[in-house]
Structures are given as structure tokens and as C-alpha cells.
Amino acid sequence: ALPPRGRPQTPKPYRKQSRPGGSALFPSRVLSLGELTRAALWIWIWQDRVRTDAYREAIMLHQKFIEGKVVMDVGCGTGILSVFCARAGAKRVYAVDASEIATQASEIVKANNLADKIVVIHGRVEDVDVEEKVDVIISEWMGYMLLYESMLPSVLFARDKWLKPGGLILPSHATLFMAPITNSDRYEGSVDFWCDVYGINMSALVPLAKKFASEEPSIEIVGGENVISWPFVVKHIDCYTFTVEEFKSITTTYKVSSMMLAPIHGFGLWFEVEFNGPAESCSNLSSDSSPLDIIQKKRRRASDSTVVLSTAPEDEPTHWHQTILYFPDPIGVTQDQIIEGSVTITPSEENPRCLNIHLECSFAVHTSKYFRIA
């Protein structure tokens, strides 16, 4: 199963150096749970400069909606977003978190002399009692591949119960992307590795290595050079209108063209979120969006004031990395070869914060069907 968000997977034999532009903070390898203490886990997340800067920039961009207003921080963690909002002039901030970190959040609030503005509430947002409506909801709700261990249902609950009409939600929109990827180094390092281990033939372990590599999604960093087609949109979410019912089953079909002669080792997923004001629209990217639509939208955003947090392979790494669904065996494709199929994502019945992923893909000659449980 996928590890809890922020906790990378148990190491595999594969080891890879960080790609150019990476850092020791975001290594392109899979870490063991033992490498991270609870405190180090929070450091690892909060030192994600891309993530933290995007939220701070968005808060300042929308300061006119925050100053003198009431804010709710859903899943506040250490309370840093609550502090940002208080410093932006919020009249009052309700910082809600169900975990024990709420205790430390209270101490952080006091240490920054903001106890008169920030009210830390220890509990699930679905269970707590807040006596007034709020003007703003802010939350860092995104999980791996956007939806794994996501707090989106909690944000939607808070929106429906406490947000005033015309209120602000940050982030306001989210888009999940997917594309076939090639990663020969990864395959050679985790599967072919066993053919010669210190001069010992351990190829008997290759079938097990293939099973291990493909039975679970992998959280790792890949570069733009690993993506062999234009991405397609799995789901676009408008946090002002999206419903819990829509979250129960997300399905899309896709049809992409390979941009090169290469083996496909699986599919990669990543996301981006936008921080738009309540009256601002976001061009809806559907599964039918063409590569040109996606490129043009990205260029438009670069020239306007919209704040975007992206976890795409071509952008600066974040603690979310990318999520890779590996095949047991690579499948060779030629340039311009059509790859098509469907993907369905549903919450697990055992644990709604986990996901079932059903991926079907056809490569003209090859047809593959994979079922993955996250």
C-alpha cells in the first residue's frame, strides 16, 4: 500500500542520484520509514519551499478577502498557514486538526503572540463546534497523486457547513494529470539488478522483483525526459462546486500518442492546484483537453496573477514527488504509436482515505489490464 503522506516507501535495491535541480531534501530515491522521525517528517514537509511559498504568496495575493475576516484552516498541522493568515490581517482563525500536532500548534501560536487571533481546535472538522460562519477556508488537503490520503472530503464538509456565500477557498481548483513514462534506469536497478549481485546470479528473484515493483504505486521523482506523451487530465476539481458524491468514483478515458521510440514502464500521475478568488473563474480542463489547451493555459497563467502549485515532472520537485504505476514488464512503443484506455479511481471500502486504481491500456499490438490497490 502507499505509505502515509510524507512517508516514502521502504527502500528497493534501486538507487538513483537526484536529477539536476533537485536537492538533498527531495532525493530521487525511496526512503525507509526508519529514516524519518515524527519531527523530521514535519521538517521535510515544511521545508518544501515550492509548497510553502505558493501558499504564502496566495494568502498575500488575496489579502483583501482575508483582512478583517474569519478564516478556517482545515487540517492545520503545525499552524503555519493560520499564522500566515493572522499576519495578513485576519480577525480570527480557527485552526482545526484531528492529530496530536494540535498541541504543538497551540504552542507555536502562543510563541508568535497570536493567541488572541488564532483558536486551535483539536478534533475532526466534521465533529468540532464553531459558533460562527467563516469568510475563508484554507487547507493543504492534497495527498499523493492529489487524492490519496486527501482531506478533500473534510474541506467540502467545512465549505458546506461554515463558509459564507461568496467566501474564499484556498486552493480553489485542482487538476490531476497522467501520462505514460519510460524509466529504464529504474527498471534495471530494481529488476535486472538481481541478475548479477556481487557476481552471484540471483535471477530466481526477478519474478518476485517484478511483482513487488508493480503491485503498488511508487512515490518517486521522475523528470520531464521520462514522460513520453502529452499528459491527459484525469480529473479537474472546482473546490467551490465539487461534491463528495463525485469523489466516490472518478473515471476517464484517454488516447495519447507516443513522442518517441521507447519502452513504456508504466504511468505517472501528478497534480497542480490554483489559488483563485471567489469571483474568478478557472478554465476547466477536462479529459478531452488537447495538449495545446494545456500548453496555452499554462502560458496564460504565467502572464497573469494566478498562483499555481505544480508537482509536474518538469517543475521544481516537491515533497509529493510523482506517483508511478509500474508494469511488471516494459512494453515497447514506436514514435506516434497510439496508447489508449481508461482509468478509474475509487476510495477503498476498508479505508476511504486510501484508493483503488483500475487502469486499462491498449498499445495497438499489446493490450494490458492492471488492477492496483493503494
Side-chain angles (χ1 to χ4, degrees):
L2 275 169
R5 184 160 64 89
R7 299 183 182 181
Q9 290 172 295
T10 305
K12 299 181 174 71
Y14 170 67
R15 290 292 182 267
K16 177 182 176 183
Q17 297 298 316
S18 296
R19 64 184 176 90
S23 69
L25 182 62
F26 304 118
S28 294
R29 67 183 184 90
V30 180
L31 307 174
S32 69
L33 296 179
E35 289 179 272
L36 296 173
T37 63
R38 184 175 180 82
L41 176 61
W42 283 106
I43 292 172
W44 189 62
I45 292 175
W46 282 117
Q47 286 185 347
D48 182 344
R49 184 183 58 79
V50 176
R51 164 196 188 273
T52 306
D53 284 354
Y55 272 89
R56 183 168 56 180
E57 184 181 350
I59 288 168
M60 297 314 298
L61 177 65
H62 298 293
Q63 186 174 7
K64 64 182 180 181
F65 296 107
I66 296 172
E67 192 169 11
K69 303 295 185 179
V70 179
V71 178
M72 177 176 284
D73 181 357
V74 179
C76 68
T78 58
I80 190 170
L81 300 185
S82 296
V83 171
F84 285 164
C85 289
R87 288 181 173 176
K91 179 175 71 175
R92 186 161 37 259
V93 182
Y94 292 101
V96 184
D97 202 290
S99 73
E100 295 300 324
I101 195 65
T103 301
Q104 284 71 43
S106 295
E107 295 174 2
I108 291 169
V109 167
K110 293 175 184 176
N112 287 275
N113 301 313
L114 291 170
D116 60 329
K117 285 192 172 184
I118 301 175
V119 180
V120 179
I121 304 174
H122 184 196
R124 295 172 66 246
V125 73
E126 292 86 352
D127 301 329
V128 302
D129 185 24
V130 176
E131 297 181 355
E132 60 182 326
K133 296 288 186 177
V134 303
D135 303 282
V136 180
I137 290 177
I138 190 167
S139 179
E140 194 275 87
W141 56 264
M142 303 83 71
Y144 291 130
M145 57 168 284
L146 186 63
L147 300 174
Y148 175 74
E149 280 204 337
S150 154
M151 288 185 60
L152 180 58
S154 296
V155 172
L156 301 182
F157 178 91
R159 177 199 67 189
D160 295 341
K161 185 171 183 178
W162 285 299
L163 186 65
K164 294 178 182 178
L168 174 67
I169 303 176
L170 296 176
S172 58
H173 301 82
T175 307
L176 177 62
F177 296 95
M178 190 171 179
I181 61 111
T182 184
N183 197 349
S184 295
D185 288 345
R186 170 70 156 81
Y187 188 82
E188 291 168 3
S190 59
V191 176
D192 293 343
F193 166 88
W194 297 105
C195 294
D196 184 354
V197 182
Y198 292 97
I200 302 171
N201 185 343
M202 293 189 175
S203 56
L205 292 174
V206 167
L208 185 62
K210 290 181 178 181
K211 180 177 183 295
F212 182 75
S214 63
E215 68 183 359
E216 296 180 337
S218 178
I219 309 302
E220 59 188 77
I221 293 177
V222 296
E225 68 276 7
N226 296 107
V227 181
I228 68 169
S229 82
W230 292 109
F232 59 90
V233 175
V234 177
K235 188 64 179 178
H236 179 78
I237 294 172
D238 182 338
C239 293
Y240 291 107
T241 61
F242 193 72
T243 66
V244 173
E245 283 299 313
E246 293 177 82
F247 186 71
K248 291 181 178 179
S249 181
I250 294 172
T251 300
T252 190
T253 58
Y254 62 88
K255 184 176 183 179
V256 296
S257 175
S258 172
M259 294 187 289
M260 64 183 79
L261 171 66
I264 292 181
H265 293 93
F267 279 77
L269 296 108
W270 60 88
F271 67 87
E272 65 180 32
V273 295
E274 298 183 32
F275 298 82
N276 295 304
E280 300 173 69
S281 63
C282 174
S283 52
N284 194 340
L285 284 177
S286 69
S287 57
D288 297 326
S289 298
S290 69
L292 185 59
D293 292 335
I294 297 172
I295 294 171
Q296 287 177 337
K297 183 188 176 192
K298 206 160 190 175
R299 286 176 178 168
R300 284 196 301 270
R301 284 196 318 232
S303 63
D304 63 25
S305 58
T306 300
V307 177
V308 178
L309 169 57
S310 172
T311 66
E314 68 270 18
D315 291 320
E316 190 173 349
T318 70
H319 78 277
W320 285 284
H321 299 357
Q322 288 83 40
T323 300
I324 313 298
L325 309 179
Y326 279 108
F327 298 156
D329 294 286
I331 298 173
V333 295
T334 59
Q335 185 171 344
D336 299 324
Q337 184 170 346
I338 299 299
I339 305 160
E340 58 185 327
S342 65
V343 59
T344 299
I345 301 173
T346 56
S348 167
E349 292 183 1
E350 292 77 16
N351 183 351
R353 294 187 69 183
C354 294
L355 300 173
N356 295 330
I357 306 172
H358 185 89
L359 171 65
E360 294 191 14
C361 47
S362 171
F363 300 83
V365 176
H366 304 280
T367 301
S368 302
K369 183 176 180 179
Y370 298 91
F371 182 73
R372 308 190 184 281
I373 300 179

